[in-house]
Every structure is written in structure tokens, then in C-alpha cells.
Coordinates of all heavy atoms in Angstrom, one line a residue:
F1 N 67.3 60.6 112.2 CA 68.0 61.2 113.3 C 67.1 61.4 114.5 O 67.5 61.1 115.7 CB 68.5 62.6 112.9 CG 69.4 63.3 113.9 CD1 70.6 62.9 114.3 CD2 68.9 64.4 114.5 CE1 71.3 63.5 115.2 CE2 69.6 65.2 115.4 CZ 70.8 64.6 115.9
A2 N 65.9 61.9 114.3 CA 65.0 62.1 115.4 C 64.7 60.7 116.2 O 64.6 60.7 117.4 CB 63.6 62.6 114.9
D3 N 64.6 59.6 115.4 CA 64.5 58.3 115.9 C 65.5 57.9 116.9 O 65.2 57.4 118.1 CB 64.4 57.3 114.8 CG 63.9 55.9 115.3 OD1 63.1 55.9 116.2 OD2 64.2 54.9 114.7
I4 N 66.7 58.3 116.6 CA 67.8 58.0 117.5 C 67.7 58.8 118.8 O 67.9 58.3 119.9 CB 69.2 58.4 116.9 CG1 69.4 57.3 115.7 CG2 70.4 58.3 117.8 CD1 70.5 57.7 114.8
L5 N 67.4 60.1 118.6 CA 67.2 60.9 119.9 C 66.0 60.4 120.7 O 66.1 60.5 121.9 CB 66.9 62.4 119.4 CG 68.2 63.1 118.7 CD1 67.7 64.4 118.2 CD2 69.3 63.2 119.6
F6 N 64.9 60.0 120.1 CA 63.8 59.4 120.9 C 64.2 58.2 121.7 O 63.8 58.1 122.9 CB 62.6 59.1 120.0 CG 61.9 60.3 119.4 CD1 61.4 60.3 118.1 CD2 61.5 61.3 120.3 CE1 60.7 61.4 117.7 CE2 60.7 62.4 119.8 CZ 60.4 62.3 118.4
H7 N 65.0 57.4 121.1 CA 65.4 56.2 121.8 C 66.5 56.4 122.9 O 66.5 55.7 123.9 CB 66.0 55.1 120.8 CG 64.9 54.5 120.0 ND1 64.4 54.8 118.8 CD2 64.1 53.4 120.4 CE1 63.5 54.1 118.4 NE2 63.3 53.2 119.3
K8 N 67.1 57.6 122.8 CA 68.1 57.9 123.9 C 67.4 58.4 125.1 O 67.8 58.3 126.2 CB 69.1 58.9 123.4 CG 70.2 58.4 122.4 CD 71.2 59.4 122.1 CE 72.3 59.4 123.2 NZ 73.4 60.1 122.8
G9 N 66.2 59.0 124.8 CA 65.3 59.4 126.0 C 65.9 60.7 126.7 O 66.7 61.3 126.2
G10 N 65.3 60.9 127.9 CA 65.8 62.0 128.7 C 65.7 63.3 128.0 O 64.7 63.6 127.3
N11 N 66.7 64.1 128.1 CA 66.7 65.5 127.5 C 66.8 65.4 126.0 O 66.4 66.3 125.3 CB 68.0 66.2 127.9 CG 68.0 66.6 129.4 OD1 66.8 66.6 130.0 ND2 69.1 66.8 130.0
Y12 N 67.2 64.2 125.4 CA 67.2 64.1 123.9 C 65.8 64.0 123.3 O 65.6 64.3 122.2 CB 68.0 62.8 123.6 CG 69.5 63.0 123.9 CD1 70.0 62.3 125.0 CD2 70.3 63.7 123.1 CE1 71.4 62.4 125.3 CE2 71.7 63.8 123.5 CZ 72.2 63.2 124.6 OH 73.4 63.2 124.9
F13 N 64.9 63.6 124.1 CA 63.5 63.4 123.6 C 63.0 64.8 123.1 O 62.3 64.8 122.0 CB 62.5 62.8 124.7 CG 61.1 62.5 124.1 CD1 61.0 61.2 123.6 CD2 60.2 63.5 124.0 CE1 59.7 60.9 123.1 CE2 59.0 63.1 123.6 CZ 58.7 61.9 123.1
T14 N 63.2 65.8 123.8 CA 62.7 67.1 123.3 C 63.4 67.5 122.1 O 62.7 68.1 121.1 CB 63.0 68.2 124.5 OG1 62.3 67.8 125.7 CG2 62.5 69.6 124.0
E15 N 64.6 67.3 121.9 CA 65.4 67.6 120.7 C 64.9 66.8 119.6 O 64.7 67.2 118.4 CB 66.9 67.3 120.9 CG 67.7 67.8 119.8 CD 69.2 67.6 120.0 OE1 69.6 67.5 121.2 OE2 70.0 67.8 119.0
G16 N 64.6 65.5 119.8 CA 64.0 64.7 118.8 C 62.6 65.1 118.3 O 62.4 65.1 117.1
E17 N 61.8 65.5 119.3 CA 60.5 66.1 119.0 C 60.6 67.3 118.1 O 59.8 67.5 117.2 CB 59.7 66.4 120.3 CG 58.3 66.6 120.1 CD 57.5 66.6 121.5 OE1 58.2 66.5 122.5 OE2 56.3 66.9 121.4
S18 N 61.6 68.1 118.4 CA 61.8 69.4 117.6 C 62.2 68.9 116.2 O 61.7 69.6 115.3 CB 62.9 70.2 118.2 OG 63.2 71.3 117.5
C19 N 63.1 68.0 116.0 CA 63.6 67.6 114.7 C 62.4 67.1 113.9 O 62.3 67.4 112.7 CB 64.6 66.5 114.9 SG 66.2 67.1 115.4
I20 N 61.5 66.2 114.5 CA 60.5 65.6 113.7 C 59.4 66.7 113.4 O 58.8 66.6 112.3 CB 59.9 64.5 114.5 CG1 59.1 63.5 113.5 CG2 58.9 64.8 115.6 CD1 60.0 62.8 112.5
Q21 N 59.2 67.7 114.3 CA 58.3 68.8 113.9 C 58.8 69.5 112.7 O 58.0 70.0 111.9 CB 58.1 69.7 115.2 CG 57.3 69.1 116.3 CD 55.8 68.8 116.0 OE1 55.4 69.2 115.0 NE2 55.2 68.2 116.9
K22 N 60.1 69.8 112.7 CA 60.6 70.5 111.5 C 60.4 69.6 110.2 O 60.1 70.1 109.2 CB 62.1 70.8 111.7 CG 62.4 71.8 112.7 CD 63.8 72.0 113.0 CE 64.1 73.0 114.0 NZ 65.4 73.1 114.4
A23 N 60.6 68.3 110.3 CA 60.4 67.4 109.2 C 59.0 67.5 108.7 O 58.7 67.5 107.5 CB 60.8 66.0 109.5
I24 N 58.0 67.5 109.7 CA 56.6 67.5 109.4 C 56.3 68.7 108.6 O 55.6 68.7 107.5 CB 55.8 67.4 110.6 CG1 55.8 66.0 111.2 CG2 54.3 67.9 110.4 CD1 55.2 65.8 112.6
V25 N 56.8 69.9 109.0 CA 56.6 71.2 108.3 C 57.2 71.1 106.9 O 56.5 71.4 105.9 CB 57.2 72.4 109.0 CG1 57.2 73.6 108.1 CG2 56.5 72.6 110.3
D26 N 58.3 70.6 106.7 CA 59.0 70.4 105.4 C 58.2 69.5 104.5 O 58.0 69.8 103.3 CB 60.4 70.1 105.5 CG 61.3 71.2 106.1 OD1 60.9 72.3 106.0 OD2 62.4 70.8 106.5
H27 N 57.9 68.3 105.0 CA 57.2 67.2 104.2 C 55.8 67.7 103.8 O 55.3 67.5 102.7 CB 57.2 65.9 104.9 CG 58.6 65.3 105.0 ND1 59.0 64.5 106.1 CD2 59.6 65.4 104.2 CE1 60.2 64.2 105.9 NE2 60.7 64.6 104.8
E28 N 55.2 68.4 104.7 CA 53.8 68.9 104.4 C 54.0 70.1 103.3 O 53.2 70.0 102.4 CB 53.2 69.6 105.6 CG 51.7 69.8 105.5 CD 51.1 70.0 106.9 OE1 51.4 71.1 107.4 OE2 50.5 69.1 107.4
R29 N 54.9 70.9 103.4 CA 55.1 72.0 102.4 C 55.4 71.4 101.0 O 54.9 71.9 100.0 CB 56.2 72.9 102.9 CG 56.5 74.0 101.9 CD 57.6 75.0 102.5 NE 58.8 74.3 103.0 CZ 59.9 73.9 102.2 NH1 59.8 74.1 100.9 NH2 60.9 73.3 102.8
L30 N 56.2 70.3 101.0 CA 56.6 69.7 99.8 C 55.6 68.7 99.2 O 55.8 68.2 98.1 CB 58.0 69.1 99.9 CG 59.1 70.0 100.2 CD1 60.4 69.3 100.7 CD2 59.4 70.9 99.0
G31 N 54.6 68.4 100.0 CA 53.6 67.4 99.5 C 54.1 65.9 99.5 O 53.6 65.2 98.7
M32 N 55.0 65.7 100.4 CA 55.5 64.3 100.5 C 54.7 63.5 101.5 O 55.1 63.3 102.6 CB 57.0 64.4 100.9 CG 57.9 65.2 99.9 SD 59.5 65.6 100.6 CE 60.3 64.1 100.4
K33 N 53.6 62.9 101.0 CA 52.6 62.3 101.8 C 53.3 61.1 102.6 O 53.0 60.9 103.8 CB 51.4 61.8 101.1 CG 50.5 62.9 100.7 CD 49.3 62.2 100.0 CE 48.2 63.3 99.8 NZ 47.0 62.7 99.3
W34 N 54.0 60.2 101.9 CA 54.5 59.0 102.6 C 55.5 59.4 103.7 O 55.4 58.9 104.8 CB 55.1 58.1 101.6 CG 55.3 56.6 102.2 CD1 54.4 55.7 102.1 CD2 56.3 56.3 102.9 NE1 54.9 54.5 102.8 CE2 56.1 54.9 103.3 CE3 57.6 56.8 103.4 CZ2 57.0 54.2 104.1 CZ3 58.5 56.1 104.1 CH2 58.2 54.8 104.5
D35 N 56.3 60.4 103.4 CA 57.4 60.8 104.4 C 56.6 61.5 105.6 O 57.0 61.3 106.8 CB 58.4 61.7 103.7 CG 59.2 61.0 102.7 OD1 59.9 60.1 103.1 OD2 59.2 61.3 101.6
L36 N 55.6 62.3 105.3 CA 54.8 63.0 106.3 C 54.1 61.9 107.1 O 54.1 62.0 108.4 CB 53.8 63.9 105.6 CG 52.9 64.7 106.5 CD1 53.8 65.6 107.5 CD2 51.9 65.6 105.7
A37 N 53.6 60.9 106.6 CA 53.0 59.8 107.4 C 53.9 59.1 108.3 O 53.7 58.8 109.4 CB 52.3 58.8 106.4
S38 N 55.2 58.9 107.7 CA 56.2 58.3 108.6 C 56.5 59.2 109.7 O 56.8 58.7 110.9 CB 57.4 58.0 107.7 OG 57.1 57.1 106.7
D39 N 56.6 60.5 109.5 CA 56.9 61.4 110.6 C 55.9 61.3 111.7 O 56.2 61.3 112.8 CB 57.0 62.9 110.1 CG 58.1 63.1 109.0 OD1 59.0 62.3 109.0 OD2 57.9 64.2 108.2
Y40 N 54.6 61.4 111.3 CA 53.5 61.2 112.3 C 53.6 60.0 113.0 O 53.3 59.9 114.2 CB 52.2 61.4 111.6 CG 51.8 62.9 111.2 CD1 51.4 63.3 109.9 CD2 51.8 63.9 112.1 CE1 51.2 64.6 109.6 CE2 51.5 65.2 111.8 CZ 51.2 65.5 110.5 OH 50.8 66.8 110.2
L41 N 53.9 58.9 112.3 CA 53.9 57.6 113.0 C 55.1 57.6 114.0 O 54.8 57.2 115.2 CB 54.2 56.5 112.0 CG 54.4 55.1 112.5 CD1 53.3 54.6 113.4 CD2 54.7 54.1 111.3
L42 N 56.2 58.1 113.7 CA 57.3 58.2 114.6 C 57.0 59.0 115.8 O 57.3 58.7 117.0 CB 58.5 58.7 113.9 CG 59.8 58.9 114.8 CD1 60.2 57.6 115.4 CD2 61.0 59.5 113.9
L43 N 56.4 60.2 115.6 CA 56.0 61.0 116.7 C 55.0 60.4 117.5 O 55.1 60.3 118.8 CB 55.6 62.4 116.2 CG 55.3 63.4 117.2 CD1 56.4 63.7 118.2 CD2 54.9 64.8 116.5
G44 N 54.0 59.8 116.9 CA 52.9 59.1 117.7 C 53.5 57.9 118.6 O 53.1 57.7 119.7
Q45 N 54.3 57.1 117.9 CA 55.0 56.0 118.7 C 55.8 56.5 119.9 O 55.7 56.0 121.0 CB 56.0 55.2 117.7 CG 55.2 54.4 116.7 CD 56.3 53.8 115.8 OE1 57.2 54.4 115.4 NE2 56.0 52.5 115.3
S46 N 56.5 57.6 119.6 CA 57.4 58.1 120.6 C 56.6 58.7 121.8 O 56.9 58.4 123.0 CB 58.3 59.1 120.2 OG 59.2 58.6 119.1
L47 N 55.6 59.4 121.5 CA 54.7 60.0 122.5 C 53.9 58.8 123.3 O 53.9 58.9 124.5 CB 53.6 60.9 121.9 CG 54.2 62.3 121.3 CD1 53.2 63.0 120.6 CD2 54.8 63.1 122.5
A48 N 53.5 57.9 122.6 CA 52.8 56.7 123.3 C 53.7 56.0 124.2 O 53.4 55.6 125.3 CB 52.2 55.8 122.2
S49 N 55.0 55.8 123.7 CA 55.9 55.1 124.7 C 56.3 55.9 125.9 O 56.9 55.3 126.8 CB 57.2 54.8 123.8 OG 58.1 56.0 123.6
T50 N 56.0 57.2 126.0 CA 56.3 58.0 127.1 C 55.1 58.2 128.0 O 55.1 59.2 128.8 CB 57.0 59.3 126.8 OG1 56.2 60.0 126.0 CG2 58.4 59.0 126.1
G51 N 54.0 57.5 127.8 CA 52.8 57.8 128.5 C 51.9 58.9 128.1 O 51.0 59.3 128.8
R52 N 52.2 59.4 126.8 CA 51.5 60.5 126.4 C 50.5 60.1 125.2 O 50.4 60.6 124.2 CB 52.4 61.6 125.8 CG 53.2 62.3 127.0 CD 54.4 63.0 126.5 NE 54.1 64.2 125.6 CZ 55.0 65.0 125.0 NH1 56.3 64.6 125.3 NH2 54.6 65.9 124.3
G53 N 49.8 59.0 125.5 CA 48.9 58.3 124.6 C 47.8 59.2 124.0 O 47.5 59.1 122.8
A54 N 47.2 60.0 124.9 CA 46.1 60.9 124.3 C 46.7 61.9 123.3 O 46.0 62.2 122.3 CB 45.6 61.7 125.6
E55 N 47.8 62.4 123.5 CA 48.5 63.3 122.6 C 49.0 62.5 121.3 O 48.9 63.1 120.3 CB 49.8 63.9 123.2 CG 50.3 65.0 122.5 CD 51.5 65.7 123.3 OE1 51.7 65.4 124.5 OE2 52.2 66.5 122.6
A56 N 49.3 61.3 121.5 CA 49.8 60.5 120.3 C 48.7 60.1 119.4 O 48.9 60.0 118.1 CB 50.5 59.2 120.8
T57 N 47.4 60.0 119.9 CA 46.4 59.6 119.1 C 46.1 60.3 117.8 O 45.9 59.8 116.7 CB 45.0 59.5 119.9 OG1 45.2 58.6 121.1 CG2 43.9 59.0 119.1
G58 N 46.2 61.6 117.9 CA 46.0 62.5 116.8 C 47.0 62.3 115.7 O 46.7 62.2 114.5
F59 N 48.3 62.1 116.1 CA 49.3 61.9 115.1 C 49.3 60.6 114.5 O 49.5 60.5 113.3 CB 50.7 62.0 115.9 CG 51.0 63.4 116.4 CD1 51.1 63.7 117.7 CD2 51.2 64.5 115.5 CE1 51.3 65.0 118.2 CE2 51.5 65.8 116.0 CZ 51.5 66.1 117.3
L60 N 48.8 59.6 115.2 CA 48.6 58.2 114.7 C 47.4 58.2 113.8 O 47.6 57.6 112.7 CB 48.5 57.2 115.8 CG 49.7 57.0 116.7 CD1 49.4 56.2 118.0 CD2 50.9 56.5 116.0
D61 N 46.5 58.9 114.1 CA 45.2 59.0 113.1 C 45.7 59.6 111.8 O 45.3 59.2 110.7 CB 44.1 59.7 113.8 CG 43.4 58.9 114.8 OD1 43.6 57.8 115.0 OD2 42.7 59.6 115.6
R62 N 46.5 60.6 111.9 CA 46.9 61.3 110.7 C 47.8 60.4 109.9 O 47.8 60.4 108.6 CB 47.6 62.7 111.1 CG 48.1 63.5 110.0 CD 46.9 64.2 109.3 NE 47.4 65.1 108.3 CZ 47.0 65.2 107.1 NH1 46.0 64.4 106.7 NH2 47.5 66.0 106.2
A63 N 48.8 59.7 110.6 CA 49.6 58.8 109.9 C 48.8 57.7 109.1 O 49.0 57.4 107.9 CB 50.6 58.1 110.8
R64 N 47.8 57.1 109.8 CA 47.0 56.1 109.2 C 46.3 56.7 107.9 O 46.3 56.0 106.9 CB 46.0 55.5 110.3 CG 45.1 54.4 109.7 CD 44.2 53.8 110.8 NE 43.7 54.7 111.7 CZ 44.2 54.8 113.0 NH1 45.1 54.1 113.4 NH2 43.6 55.7 113.8
S65 N 45.7 57.8 108.1 CA 45.0 58.4 107.0 C 45.9 58.7 105.8 O 45.5 58.4 104.6 CB 44.4 59.8 107.4 OG 43.8 60.4 106.3
L66 N 47.1 59.2 106.0 CA 48.1 59.4 104.9 C 48.6 58.2 104.4 O 48.7 58.1 103.1 CB 49.2 60.3 105.5 CG 48.9 61.7 105.7 CD1 50.0 62.4 106.6 CD2 48.8 62.5 104.4
F67 N 48.9 57.2 105.1 CA 49.3 55.8 104.6 C 48.2 55.2 103.7 O 48.4 54.7 102.7 CB 49.7 54.8 105.7 CG 51.1 55.1 106.3 CD1 51.3 55.2 107.7 CD2 52.2 55.3 105.4 CE1 52.5 55.4 108.2 CE2 53.5 55.5 106.0 CZ 53.7 55.5 107.3
N68 N 47.0 55.4 104.2 CA 45.8 54.9 103.5 C 45.8 55.6 102.1 O 45.5 54.9 101.1 CB 44.5 55.1 104.2 CG 43.4 54.4 103.6 OD1 43.4 53.2 103.3 ND2 42.3 55.1 103.4
D69 N 45.9 56.9 102.1 CA 46.0 57.7 100.8 C 47.0 57.2 99.9 O 46.8 57.3 98.6 CB 46.2 59.2 101.1 CG 45.0 59.9 101.8 OD1 43.9 59.3 101.8 OD2 45.2 61.0 102.2
C70 N 48.1 56.8 100.4 CA 49.2 56.2 99.5 C 49.0 54.8 99.2 O 49.9 54.2 98.4 CB 50.5 56.4 100.4 SG 51.0 58.2 100.7
G71 N 48.0 54.1 99.7 CA 47.8 52.8 99.4 C 48.7 51.8 100.1 O 49.0 50.7 99.7
S72 N 49.2 52.2 101.2 CA 50.2 51.5 102.1 C 49.4 50.7 103.2 O 49.5 51.1 104.4 CB 51.2 52.4 102.6 OG 51.9 53.1 101.6
D73 N 48.7 49.7 102.8 CA 48.0 48.9 103.8 C 48.8 48.3 104.9 O 48.4 48.3 106.0 CB 47.2 47.8 103.1 CG 46.2 48.3 102.1 OD1 45.7 49.5 102.3 OD2 45.7 47.6 101.2
G74 N 50.0 47.9 104.6 CA 50.9 47.3 105.6 C 51.3 48.3 106.6 O 51.3 48.1 107.8
W75 N 51.5 49.5 106.2 CA 51.8 50.6 107.2 C 50.6 51.1 108.0 O 50.8 51.4 109.1 CB 52.5 51.8 106.4 CG 53.8 51.5 106.0 CD1 54.3 51.0 104.8 CD2 55.0 51.6 106.9 NE1 55.7 50.8 104.9 CE2 56.1 51.2 106.0 CE3 55.2 52.2 108.2 CZ2 57.4 51.2 106.6 CZ3 56.5 52.1 108.7 CH2 57.6 51.7 107.9
C76 N 49.4 51.0 107.4 CA 48.3 51.2 108.2 C 48.1 50.2 109.3 O 47.8 50.6 110.4 CB 47.0 51.2 107.3 SG 46.8 52.6 106.1
Q77 N 48.4 49.0 109.0 CA 48.4 48.0 110.0 C 49.4 48.2 111.1 O 49.2 48.0 112.3 CB 48.6 46.6 109.4 CG 47.4 46.2 108.6 CD 47.8 44.9 107.9 OE1 48.7 44.2 108.0 NE2 46.7 44.4 107.1
R78 N 50.6 48.7 110.7 CA 51.6 49.0 111.6 C 51.2 50.2 112.6 O 51.5 50.1 113.8 CB 52.9 49.5 110.9 CG 54.1 49.6 111.7 CD 55.3 49.9 110.8 NE 56.5 49.3 111.4 CZ 57.7 49.4 111.0 NH1 57.8 49.9 109.7 NH2 58.7 48.8 111.5
V79 N 50.5 51.1 112.1 CA 49.9 52.2 112.9 C 49.0 51.5 114.0 O 49.0 52.0 115.2 CB 49.3 53.3 112.1 CG1 48.6 54.3 113.0 CG2 50.3 53.9 111.2
E80 N 48.2 50.6 113.5 CA 47.2 50.0 114.4 C 47.9 49.3 115.6 O 47.2 49.1 116.6 CB 46.3 49.0 113.6 CG 45.4 49.7 112.6 CD 44.4 50.6 113.2 OE1 43.9 50.4 114.3 OE2 44.0 51.6 112.5
Q81 N 49.1 48.9 115.4 CA 49.8 48.1 116.5 C 50.4 49.0 117.5 O 50.8 48.4 118.6 CB 50.9 47.2 115.8 CG 50.3 46.2 114.8 CD 51.4 45.4 114.1 OE1 52.6 45.8 114.3 NE2 51.0 44.4 113.4
V82 N 50.4 50.3 117.3 CA 51.0 51.2 118.3 C 50.1 51.2 119.5 O 48.9 51.3 119.5 CB 51.2 52.5 117.8 CG1 51.8 53.5 118.8 CG2 52.2 52.4 116.6

């Protein structure tokens, strides 16, 4: 859902960011590493696409680390492409 809001842009971006932040809290609490990594990747991609690259870097680094922990080399490469 957050992905759709990010792509709509404008006022929807803030709503999408709020949704993904809630997902991050839930996935972290539940120990869902792969889903958490996906959340961080989505947020990092979205921030980077709006010129907030410095802010995106931390989220992308966290995504790469979590994907690496899960043995998801292909997803680590995807993070590198952002």
C-alpha cells in the first residue's frame, strides 16, 4: 500500500512514509527480518527518488545488512542499484 502512495507523490508521499514507518515498527517487533529489509528498501528508494539521498542512505544500509543476514544476495544487489 505504501508503495502505491509513494508513486502517487505529492501529499500522498507523507501518508506512504507514515504507513511504511508503522510496518517497520511491526516487522521489527515481530522479528520479520526479510519484511523489515523490504520496508527499509522501499523507504530508501522513495527518499532517494525525491532528492533525499542523504536520508535514504541509512535505510538502504540497514536493508542491505538485513538482506545479507537472510542470505538474499540478489536483494543486496538490488539495494546497491538504488
Side-chain angles (χ1 to χ4, degrees):
F1 181 70
D3 192 26
I4 294 168
L5 295 172
F6 284 137
H7 282 94
K8 288 186 84 168
N11 293 336
Y12 293 104
F13 189 88
T14 303
E15 188 176 345
E17 195 170 359
S18 176
C19 287
I20 202 68
Q21 290 289 359
K22 289 176 187 175
I24 287 170
V25 168
D26 289 341
H27 291 146
E28 197 166 72
R29 179 177 51 82
L30 295 169
M32 300 172 71
K33 282 187 174 186
W34 196 91
D35 293 298
L36 183 58
S38 296
D39 298 337
Y40 282 127
L41 174 57
L42 176 59
L43 185 54
Q45 287 173 321
S46 299
L47 291 170
S49 73
T50 60
R52 294 163 62 184
E55 194 176 345
T57 301
F59 294 113
L60 294 170
D61 288 345
R62 184 74 174 129
R64 184 177 32 259
S65 175
L66 287 164
F67 281 132
N68 188 53
D69 290 349
C70 293
S72 300
D73 296 334
W75 283 94
C76 288
Q77 291 173 0
R78 191 174 207 177
V79 172
E80 295 293 331
Q81 296 173 355
V82 175

